[in-house]
C-alpha cells in the first residue's frame, strides 16, 4: 500500500472538465514529480488532493484512509500539507507568526518549539528575520517561509506547487537544494514544477499530465531520456 493513492480522479471548474481520471501513487520517502504544460491540471490535482477542490469522481487515500470528502483543515491535520503556488504567506504577520500558523493543529508546545528550531536550522535566513513582517521578504525568502510553515504541521507528505516560480536562477538552485535536504531527512514529497529539468533531477519517479490526463509515468531517469519529454518539456531536439 502506497502512502498516497489518487485513483480515477475527475475534477471540474464549473462545467470545465479539468482532471479526467487521474491516478497516481506516492510511496513513503519518495519524491514524485508531476510535469506538464501550463493548464494541464497540475495545480488542480494538488488542490483536489488537499481538499481545496472536490472531485466529482474518484478517491484520495492516505495510508489507505479515504480523505476524498474531508475538509482541508482535517486533511492537513492528518499529515497531507501543501506549499501553495505563489507562496501565499500572511503578509502582515511576522516570520515567526507565519510559522506558528502552520502548527495550528498541534497542541504540544514542546513539539511546536522543536519544529520551529528545525525550520530555523533548515532556513537560517528565516531565523535572522524572525521578527520581520513577511510581506517585506524577498521572493526566495517567502518561498522558504511557505515551506517552513508547511513543515511546522509535521507533514506525512508535502505537496509542493511550483516552488521555483518567479525566482532568479541562483535562488532556484537553492530551493532545489532544500528539496534534496528534505528528502534526505525522510520527507515524502509530491512536486509540481514547471522547471521539468530540475524536477526530474531531484525526483525518483514522475508523471506527465496533458489536458487533465496522465499520458506517461516512469522513473525520472527514463523520463529524462524519453523523446516526447525531451522535446516538449526539456527543450531538446
Amino acid at each position: 500500500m502506497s502512502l498516497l493513492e489518487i485513483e480515477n480522479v475527475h475534477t471540474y471548474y464549473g462545467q470545465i472538465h479539468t482532471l479526467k481520471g487521474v491516478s497516481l501513487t506516492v510511496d513513503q520517502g519518495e519524491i514524485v514529480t508531476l510535469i506538464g504544460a501550463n493548464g494541464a491540471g497540475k495545480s488542480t490535482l494538488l488542490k483536489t488532493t488537499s481538499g481545496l477542490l472536490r472531485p466529482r469522481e474518484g478517491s484520495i487515500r492516505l495510508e489507505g484512509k479515504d480523505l476524498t470528502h474531508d475538509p482541508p483543515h482535517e486533511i492537513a491535520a492528518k499529515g497531507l500539507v501543501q506549499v501553495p503556488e505563489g507562496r501565499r504567506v500572511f503578509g502582515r504577520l511576522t516570520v515567526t507568526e507565519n510559522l506558528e500558523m502552520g502548527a495550528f493543529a498541534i497542541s504540544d508546545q514542546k513539539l511546536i518549539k522543536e519544529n520551529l528550531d528545525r525550520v530555523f536550522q533548515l532556513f537560517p535566513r528565516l531565523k535572522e528575520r524572525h521578527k520581520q513582517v513577511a510581506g517585506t521578504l524577498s521572493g526566495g525568502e517567502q518561498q522558504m517561509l511557505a515551506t517552513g510553515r508547511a513543515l511546522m504541521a509535521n507533514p506525512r507528505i508535502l505537496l509542493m506547487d511550483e516552488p521555483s516560480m518567479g525566482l532568479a536562477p541562483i535562488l532556484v538552485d537553492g530551493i532545489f537544494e532544500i528539496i534534496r535536504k528534505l528528502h534526505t531527512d525522510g520527507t515524502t514529497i509530491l512536486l509540481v514544477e514547471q522547471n521539468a529539468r530540475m524536477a526530474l533531477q531531484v525526483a525518483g519517479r514522475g508523471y506527465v499530465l496533458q489536458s487533465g490526463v496522465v499520458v506517461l509515468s516512469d522513473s525520472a531517469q527514463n523520463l529524462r531520456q524519453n523523446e516526447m519529454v525531451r522535446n516538449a518539456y526539456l527543450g531538446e531536439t
Side-chain angles (χ1 to χ4, degrees), residues 82-198:
Q82 184 168 349
V83 182
E85 178 184 352
R87 299 173 274 279
R88 302 292 180 89
V89 300
F90 299 102
R92 296 185 179 182
L93 300 182
T94 67
V95 167
T96 298
E97 289 168 341
N98 266 270
L99 293 173
E100 290 172 346
M101 290 290 285
F104 74 95
I106 301 176
S107 58
D108 186 337
Q109 294 301 310
K110 181 180 178 182
L111 179 58
I112 293 174
K113 176 63 166 56
E114 289 174 353
N115 288 349
L116 188 62
D117 289 343
R118 179 194 175 203
V119 169
F120 282 153
Q121 183 176 17
L122 185 63
F123 303 109
R125 185 72 61 86
L126 296 183
K127 185 173 184 179
E128 295 171 6
R129 287 161 167 71
H130 71 281
K131 294 183 179 180
Q132 188 169 330
V133 174
T136 64
L137 297 175
S138 70
E141 291 165 348
Q142 288 189 12
Q143 185 62 55
M144 294 177 195
L145 181 55
T147 304
R149 181 180 60 195
L151 293 174
M152 290 291 294
N154 272 353
R156 300 296 313 283
I157 180 168
L158 201 61
L159 309 179
M160 302 192 75
D161 194 356
E162 303 285 6
S164 75
M165 178 179 287
L167 299 183
I170 190 171
L171 297 178
V172 171
D173 290 341
I175 289 298
F176 278 93
E177 190 57 42
I178 288 166
I179 292 172
R180 290 187 182 93
K181 177 64 165 61
L182 292 173
H183 179 237
T184 300
D185 289 346
T187 303
T188 304
I189 299 172
L190 176 58
L191 172 66
V192 162
E193 176 54 55
Q194 193 68 27
N195 189 331
R197 184 179 304 277
M198 295 292 286

Side-chain angles (χ1 to χ4, degrees), residues 24-70:
L24 62 81
T25 61
V26 182
D27 293 333
Q28 179 72 46
E30 276 195 306
I31 299 180
V32 173
T33 188
L34 186 66
I35 62 175
N38 287 334
K42 305 185 302 298
S43 293
T44 299
L45 180 62
L46 290 197
K47 290 177 182 177
T48 302
T49 304
S50 60
L52 297 172
L53 294 172
R54 291 278 177 234
R56 291 192 189 177
E57 298 179 43
S59 64
I60 299 163
R61 297 184 296 275
L62 184 67
E63 288 192 313
K65 298 178 181 178
D66 197 319
L67 306 178
T68 313
H69 303 292
D70 290 354

